[in-house]
Structures are given as C-alpha cells and as structure tokens.
Amino acid sequence: MNTTSQPSTTNLMTLHRTNGSYSECLPIHEYSTFVYVVIAIISVISVTAFCTNLVIICTIGMTQSLQTPSNILILNLAISDLLGGLFCQPFYCAFKFSEMICDTELLLLTRTMYDAIVWIVSPVSFMIVVAIIADRFLAIQLHLRYQELVTTRRYALALSFIWVLSFIFSLCKAMFYSISLHVVVIIFLTCLIFIALYFLSVIFRVIRRHSLQIQVQQQSVQQSIDMPRYKKSVNTMYYVIGGFVLCNVPIVGAITTHLILGKISLTLIFFYTISETLLMLNGVVNPIIYCWRIQEIRNAARHLLSKICTRG
C-alpha cells in the first residue's frame, strides 16, 4: 500500500530488513530533522565524490606514464568510489527521504537499489585495498622481478575477477536473502583480512630492518629497490587503509550490534545513519589521499584541470 501523507509527530516510517522483508515503522519524530541534515550532507558528498574520482580516473586514463600496475589498482578504487557517488549515495538519500514522506513503495525500491549497488562497490573497494597491500608485499618480495612478473594485464585480469565476484555477491543477495550467504561473505572477507595483516607484518618488518640498519641482508634489498620511494608508497598505502578502516568500522559495528540484539531501536537507527554517512565519506577521502601523497598524480591532475579550464 502506498502512503504519501505527511507523518505525524509520533509515527514516522522507518523500515528495516528482517528475513528479507521490512518490518513496520517506528515512532521516531526526533529522527526527521536529523535525517534531512544527513540528506544534505550526503548530497554534497555524492557530488564531491563523483567529481574528484572522475578527475582521478581521467588523469590516470589519459596519462600513459601513470598507467602502472599500482596505479591500475588506484584507478579501479576510484571507479568504485565514483559509482558510489553516482548511484549509492543518491539512492540512499532517496531512501531516507521516502522515510520522511512515508512512501512505502518508494522506500522499498530505493533501499533495494541501494543494497544491490552497495553489495557490488563495497566488496570491490575492500578487495582492492587488500590488493594494494599485496602489491606492496610483492614489490618487496620480488625485488627486480617485480616489473617482470607484475604487469598491468595481469592486474586487469585480477581486477576483473574482483568485479565479477562482487557482482555475484550482489546478485545472490538480491535473489535470496539468507544468513548462510552472509556467513560465507563474512568468512571470505575475514580470510582476506588475515592475509592482509600477514602482508602488512612482512612489509613493516622489512622497512623496520632497513630503518634501523641492523641486518646485512638489507643491503641487497637496498640495491634492488628504491627504498625511500618504496617507503613513501607504503605510507600512502597506510593512509588509504586508515581512511578505509575509519569509514567502515562504524557500519560493521552497527551491523554487529543489530545481529546481537536481534531488533532495531531508535539509538541503533541513529547509529546506522551516522555510520552509513561515514561509509560514503570514504569516496571523498581516497582521491584527496592520492593527490596529496602521489606527486605524479597531483601534477597530472593539475595539468588536466588547467587544460579543461583553458578550453572553457
């Protein structure tokens, strides 16, 4: 049934998923003002994420010297963030707005679309962050063989697999909502986390040995890899990881709390909304990190923008 009348002060629609369906609304009038502020904030985030990531995509795509294996990973992360700004965030705003006007059909449609796209771009972003860590691990392990074995073609194939896998996740979730699917995804992502932590520990140990200069073995690494440049790339990776963790941990906490409690509450709804807003902010943080930490991308982006402004 489609209800488009204004909500009363004690009856504002807020639906949540339970076994694939949505339960009835909660009495949360205090929530309405907060949601309109969130919609305004996310609208700004959406436009900013789309524009900044489009600049990164065009910069790498149009600059031959930047089309390295490492930057191909950054390119795909920017594509994921751009899709978030183009689809996820607008659908989320529409979903929240439908709560305010109590339009059940619009709410179900926009939430379904939001969930479908989020289940594509979020796993892609996560797996690419792990791939960035793996890339730095390979650089320190392979030394001179890195450029021979790690190619843009091989990375393109790996990234294609990541996108297809995330699409399968989203398709499975759309076709059947089940706890088993969530368990499989959680186990898979947990395995990736442990792999990433192992790679990070190896990277940290190698850099620490080099910094302290306490092992003769490190001299061979110095000859085969530009350690200052490598350290800078690793520090950039740390910033990307840090931004990803800060923006994603709150939503993981909200989901975990929901699963433990087994029910929704006004406090949890506020927590969900804030954590989802932070999740979307990651799409703006990443391009800022690229331009701040990677001089080649910053200079190429500045050159591209100056050309666009000159033509305009």
Side-chain angles (χ1 to χ4, degrees), residues 45-60:
I45 291 175
S46 176
V47 174
T48 306
F50 175 80
C51 294
T52 53
N53 284 287
L54 182 61
V55 170
I56 297 297
I57 293 168
C58 292
T59 298
I60 296 176

Side-chain angles (χ1 to χ4, degrees), residues 79-95:
I79 292 173
S80 175
D81 290 334
L82 180 141
L83 291 176
L86 185 61
F87 296 108
C88 291
Q89 292 153 20
F91 275 124
Y92 185 79
C93 289
F95 158 63

Side-chain angles (χ1 to χ4, degrees), residues 4-190:
T4 56
S5 60
Q6 283 295 102
S8 67
T9 58
T10 59
N11 190 22
L12 181 64
M13 177 171 288
T14 300
L15 306 184
H16 63 282
R17 294 294 295 260
T18 306
N19 297 324
S21 61
Y22 288 88
S23 67
E24 60 185 63
C25 57
L26 296 172
I28 49 171
H29 171 65
E30 306 89 353
Y31 185 56
S32 58
T33 303
F34 172 71
V35 167
Y36 284 125
V37 172
V38 167
I39 289 174
I41 292 173
I42 293 179
S43 297
V44 174
I45 291 175
S46 176
V47 174
T48 306
F50 175 80
C51 294
T52 53
N53 284 287
L54 182 61
V55 170
I56 297 297
I57 293 168
C58 292
T59 298
I60 296 176
M62 298 173 64
T63 308
Q64 190 69 32
S65 61
L66 290 178
Q67 295 172 13
T68 62
S70 297
N71 286 340
I72 292 299
L73 297 176
I74 291 176
L75 173 65
N76 276 263
L77 190 55
I79 292 173
S80 175
D81 290 334
L82 180 141
L83 291 176
L86 185 61
F87 296 108
C88 291
Q89 292 153 20
F91 275 124
Y92 185 79
C93 289
F95 158 63
K96 287 299 179 183
F97 179 73
S98 66
E99 287 184 336
M100 300 302 99
I101 63 174
C102 286
D103 189 332
T104 308
E105 291 183 3
L106 179 62
L107 188 147
L108 292 173
L109 174 63
T110 54
R111 183 72 199 193
T112 300
M113 294 301 298
Y114 170 73
D115 284 345
I117 300 170
V118 162
W119 269 69
I120 295 176
V121 299
S122 291
V124 164
S125 297
F126 178 78
M127 286 187 279
I128 291 177
V129 169
V130 174
I132 290 173
I133 298 171
D135 174 70
R136 294 299 81 199
F137 171 80
L138 291 174
I140 202 69
Q141 291 293 111
L142 297 175
H143 306 325
L144 292 177
R145 298 184 65 201
Y146 172 80
Q147 292 185 347
E148 174 190 350
L149 297 177
V150 178
T151 64
T152 54
R153 182 176 179 276
R154 287 175 178 174
Y155 269 16
L157 290 174
L159 288 164
S160 298
F161 172 76
I162 287 174
W163 281 98
V164 170
L165 185 61
S166 296
F167 180 79
I168 292 173
F169 283 160
S170 178
L171 188 63
C172 290
K173 185 175 185 295
M175 292 178 63
F176 54 92
Y177 185 91
S178 68
I179 299 298
S180 300
L181 175 63
H182 287 75
V183 171
V184 169
V185 172
I186 289 172
I187 292 174
F188 174 72
L189 296 181
T190 302

Side-chain angles (χ1 to χ4, degrees), residues 207-220:
I207 292 179
R208 184 172 179 271
R209 285 202 304 267
H210 175 268
S211 300
L212 299 176
Q213 296 182 345
I214 60 174
Q215 292 193 14
V216 178
Q217 182 183 1
Q218 187 60 35
Q219 293 177 358
S220 63

